[in-house]
């Protein structure tokens, strides 16, 4: 019988998507067993939020996923609004969509940098991180922060757009779209990249449905599931965009889906810039955080993050605090239910690229 060796991949490893670790049993270079370990992060967000007033809790939700915090802000704000019976203005809805699509776009650039790095492609990470920084420049101008924004606020958004912001947004959209074909040339159409990604980390569509996989993972199996289309929120039902799919279900298919989604986000941003109302309120009037009381009611809201469907269950009890908050992010099933069996039979050199292709976010697991 061949002896196996045990190694730990992470938590401090450039090919690990966040602070998590994999305990791997190897037969040579082949993985025969894999176990995920978490617990290296700040955690317990749900209970921290339940012990604070709604407005105090607002500053916590963005920490639930650092690479893309804005869907957390939007879900939390929309959940509070549904509990209070608030309807935000059309202008605020368009601004929220703009923020969410910019967040999706920068998250996909971050994935592209990680996927390039996971196979030793040195140019793509530098290019993609540079493109992402241009998006973060817009976030900094709009919100004052590059990563944590705390901008999508219960009742609307925190502040209106700076003068000339939409023009700068359109200029950036044009620049990003013009440069995207360069990534095809050096990455997506690269023979070496295809050999590393094709046939690796294959997900079965029936398994994807059974276990609730989401986002590019399920769309790469040929299933066009997207909350923006299936359960529209904000003004997504007024915008034109496609839901890209592939059928191979492997790491390369997931890459192609994200590549196509980048074009769709640029397409949505152009429509937002064209159709956004020129004026109107951006915030409903709310009482102070000590007087804002949530009724005895509950709601469930969800949005489509870059990683997939992201949901919040929220219940009030008549006080200024939530009685219960539960977050449903795609990373839990992707990093446990999917990743562990997906690694069995894979090569050690493929661990990082499989993890990056799933774009898990550990704080979603430790919430």
């Amino acid at each position: 019988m061949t002896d196996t060796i045990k190694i730990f991949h992470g938590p401090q490893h450039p090919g690990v998507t966040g602070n998590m670790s994999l305990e791997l049993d190897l037969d040579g270079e082949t993985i025969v067993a894999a176990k995920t370990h978490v617990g290296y992060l700040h955690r317990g967000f749900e209970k921290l939020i339940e012990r604070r007033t709604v407005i105090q809790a607002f500053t916590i939700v963005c920490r639930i996923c650092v690479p893309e915090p804005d869907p957390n802000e939007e879900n939390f704000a929309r959940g509070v609004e549904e509990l209070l019976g608030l309807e935000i203005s059309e202008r605020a809805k368009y601004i929220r969509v703009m923020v969410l699509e910019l967040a999706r776009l920068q998250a996909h650039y971050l994935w592209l940098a990680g996927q390039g790095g996971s196979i030793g492609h040195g140019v793509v990470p530098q290019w993609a991180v540079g493109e992402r920084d241009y998006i973060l420049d817009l976030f900094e101008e709009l919100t004052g922060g590059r990563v944590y924004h705390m901008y999508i606020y219960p009742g609307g958004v925190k502040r209106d757009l700076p003068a000339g912001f939409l023009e700068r947004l359109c200029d950036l959209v044009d620049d990003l779209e013009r440069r995207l074909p360069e990534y095809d040339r050096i990455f997506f159409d690269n023979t070496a990249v295809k050999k590393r990604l094709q046939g690796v980390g294959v997900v079965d569509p029936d398994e994807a449905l059974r276990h609730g996989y989401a986002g590019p993972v399920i769309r790469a199996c040929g299933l066009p599931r997207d909350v923006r289309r299936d359960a529209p929120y904000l003004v997504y039902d007024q915008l034109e965009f496609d839901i890209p799919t592939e059928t191979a279900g492997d790491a390369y298919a997931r890459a192609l889906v994200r590549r196509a989604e980048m074009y769709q986000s640029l397409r949505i941003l152009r429509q937002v810039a064209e159709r956004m109302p020129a004026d109107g309120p951006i915030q409903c009037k709310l009482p102070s955080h000590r007087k804002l009381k949530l009724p005895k009611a509950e709601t469930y809201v969800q949005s489509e993050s870059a990683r997939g469907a992201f949901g919040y269950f929220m219940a009030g009890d008549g006080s200024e605090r939530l009685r219960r908050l539960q977050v449903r992010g795609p990373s839990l099933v992707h990093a446990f239910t999917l990743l562990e069996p997906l690694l069995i039979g894979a090569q050690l050199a493929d661990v990082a690229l499989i993890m990056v292709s799933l774009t898990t976010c550990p704080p979603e697991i430790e919430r």
Side-chain angles (χ1 to χ4, degrees), residues 68-83:
E68 191 189 11
D70 304 278
N72 287 281
E73 292 185 15
E74 203 282 327
N75 274 340
F76 184 79
R78 186 152 44 94
V80 170
E81 289 154 7
E82 289 196 6
L83 290 174

Side-chain angles (χ1 to χ4, degrees), residues 65-322:
C65 183
V66 180
E68 191 189 11
D70 304 278
N72 287 281
E73 292 185 15
E74 203 282 327
N75 274 340
F76 184 79
R78 186 152 44 94
V80 170
E81 289 154 7
E82 289 196 6
L83 290 174
L84 294 175
L86 295 176
E87 180 67 26
I88 67 172
S89 70
E90 282 290 294
R91 182 170 173 81
K93 290 179 181 178
Y94 271 98
I95 293 175
R96 284 186 179 184
V97 169
M98 178 192 71
V99 169
L100 291 175
E101 291 306 314
L102 283 171
R104 184 189 322 279
L105 200 55
Q106 65 81 26
H108 281 337
Y109 275 112
L110 193 60
W111 155 80
L112 183 53
Q115 196 74 85
S118 72
I119 59 176
H121 197 310
V123 174
V124 164
Q126 296 183 55
W127 283 13
V129 169
E131 308 278 26
R132 177 175 180 261
D133 266 355
Y134 291 127
I135 300 172
L136 300 189
D137 288 344
L138 286 183
F139 275 131
E140 185 176 15
E141 180 185 358
L142 178 63
T143 72
R146 296 181 72 80
V147 178
Y148 293 142
H149 305 134
M150 289 174 277
Y151 178 75
I152 298 178
Y153 194 77
V157 295
K158 287 293 287 291
R159 61 183 64 85
D160 210 339
L161 305 183
F165 186 86
L166 290 180
E167 288 78 5
R168 290 186 288 281
L169 170 68
C170 291
D171 289 342
L172 179 59
V173 167
D174 290 341
D175 289 343
L176 295 177
E177 188 170 60
R178 185 174 63 252
R179 289 193 291 268
L180 271 178
E182 289 295 304
Y183 291 94
D184 295 335
R185 184 175 60 84
I186 69 169
F187 187 78
F188 293 98
D189 295 337
N190 187 313
T191 301
V193 171
K194 291 180 180 180
K195 286 188 175 181
R196 287 300 308 277
L197 298 181
Q198 287 178 337
V200 174
V202 178
V203 178
D204 178 75
D206 292 333
E207 179 191 354
L209 283 173
R210 185 166 60 252
H211 293 298
Y213 303 153
V217 173
I218 197 169
R219 290 193 284 272
C221 299
L223 302 169
R225 301 297 180 88
D226 190 306
V227 179
R228 295 173 297 174
R229 181 65 52 80
D230 300 336
Y233 52 100
L234 300 176
V235 292
Y236 278 110
D237 56 347
Q238 302 174 32
L239 302 173
E240 298 175 5
F241 59 97
D242 300 322
I243 310 299
T245 60
E246 294 287 332
T247 57
D250 57 12
Y252 187 66
R254 293 190 282 276
L256 292 179
V257 166
R258 292 188 180 95
R259 168 68 175 81
E261 287 183 6
M262 294 168 83
Y263 263 132
Q264 296 304 316
S265 287
L266 294 172
R267 180 182 176 190
I268 290 172
L269 287 168
R270 279 204 179 90
Q271 294 176 65
V272 167
E274 292 170 359
R275 302 180 187 182
M276 184 182 296
D279 50 28
I282 59 163
Q283 176 66 247
C284 301
K285 186 173 178 57
L286 296 174
S288 69
H289 74 98
R290 288 293 180 187
K291 295 182 179 180
L292 195 160
K293 299 187 183 299
L294 299 173
K296 293 182 179 180
E298 58 187 45
T299 187
Y300 182 77
V301 296
Q302 59 179 339
S303 61
E304 186 71 24
S305 73
R307 296 167 315 289
F310 209 102
Y312 271 48
F313 170 78
M314 303 170 70
D317 63 358
S319 73
E320 69 276 8
R321 293 178 174 85
L322 285 164

